[in-house]
Amino acid sequence: MKRDKVINRALSIFFTILSLAWIYPVFMIALNSFKKATAISTTTAFDLLTPETFNGLANYMHALNEQGFASAFMYSLIITVTSVLLILVCCSMCAWYVVRVNNKISNFFYYLFVFSMVVPFQICFIYLGFGAGLAVFMFAGFVKNIPLEIEEAAMIDGCNPVQVFFKIVLPIMKPTYLSVGILETMWVW
C-alpha cells in the first residue's frame, strides 16, 4: 500500500511538471501579447514584462480596430457552427445507412470516408466532406451496438426509415453526437 502511494506521488509530480511544460508556451504568448512589437522580435521575447516593453492593451485594440479580428472571428464562428451541424446530421444518417445496409457498395463508401480522414480541408462544404471521415467512423461504431430489434419494432409500429432514424436512432446516439461535435469543432476551429 505504501509503495502505491509513492508511485502515485511520483506520477503526480511528473505529470505536474509535464503540464507546466505544455502551459509555458501559452503563458509566453499571452505575456508577449502585452509587449511592444520591438520587444517581441528581439532577444527579450522570453523575458517578463518591464516598463520599457509593456504596451498595454494597444495590441488588442489594433487587432480589433485595424486588423479586422472581430469580423474574422465571426466568419470562423459561422463556418465552424455550420460545418459541425452539417457533419452531425449528414454523417450520422450516412453511418446508420452504411451499417444497416451492409453490402459491398456501402462498405466501399465506409472505407472511402475512413480514408478521407487523412486529407486536409479549407471551407464549409469541404469541412463537411473531410470531417465526414471521422464522424462516419464514430457514428458507424455506435450504430453497430444499437439492437436492430428496436428499429424493427418502430417499423412494425408504422415508422418509415426516415422516422426510424429521427425518432429512434438519433435520440439513442446523443452521446456520440456530443463527442463528434466536440471533436469536429476542435478540428474545424
Side-chain angles (χ1 to χ4, degrees):
M1 193 64 150
K2 189 173 183 174
R3 181 174 178 257
D4 290 342
K5 282 186 175 184
V6 171
I7 291 172
N8 285 341
R9 187 159 294 154
L11 285 174
S12 295
I13 292 169
F14 172 74
F15 286 118
T16 301
I17 293 169
L18 189 63
S19 67
L20 291 175
W22 258 276
I23 292 172
Y24 178 75
V26 175
F27 171 74
M28 288 309 299
I29 290 170
L31 190 67
N32 283 338
S33 71
F34 293 104
K35 291 183 181 179
K36 295 177 183 175
T38 56
I40 296 171
S41 60
T42 62
T43 58
T44 61
F46 294 104
D47 294 345
L48 295 175
L49 287 172
T50 63
E52 295 82 31
T53 61
F54 184 67
N55 201 26
L57 295 176
N59 293 338
Y60 289 98
M61 298 309 295
H62 177 72
L64 286 173
N65 296 331
E66 298 173 28
Q67 298 296 321
F69 178 79
S71 62
F73 178 80
M74 285 308 298
Y75 291 137
S76 293
L77 183 65
I78 290 168
I79 289 172
T80 299
V81 169
T82 305
S83 299
V84 170
L85 288 176
L86 284 170
I87 287 170
L88 290 174
V89 173
C90 296
C91 294
S92 62
M93 291 174 70
C94 176
W96 174 65
Y97 180 81
V98 165
V99 169
R100 294 303 184 218
V101 170
N102 198 17
N103 60 21
K104 288 183 180 182
I105 295 171
S106 65
N107 284 336
F108 169 77
F109 281 110
Y110 173 72
Y111 288 115
L112 188 65
F113 282 119
V114 171
F115 173 73
S116 74
M117 287 191 277
V118 298
V119 182
F121 50 88
Q122 294 302 324
I123 60 172
C124 192
F125 287 109
I126 296 174
Y127 283 129
L128 170 60
F130 293 117
L134 175 66
V136 169
F137 179 73
M138 289 183 67
F139 282 128
F142 190 84
V143 170
K144 288 178 184 177
N145 293 314
I146 297 174
L148 189 57
E149 291 80 12
I150 295 173
E151 296 172 35
E152 290 171 347
M155 297 285 266
I156 290 171
D157 287 343
C159 288
N160 62 34
V162 174
Q163 290 173 323
V164 168
F165 177 77
F166 282 105
K167 291 183 177 182
I168 306 299
V169 177
L170 191 139
I172 295 172
M173 293 188 346
K174 283 181 183 176
T176 307
Y177 265 86
L178 185 62
S179 300
V180 171
I182 291 169
L183 289 173
E184 294 291 344
T185 301
M186 291 186 327
W187 197 23
V188 170
W189 192 265

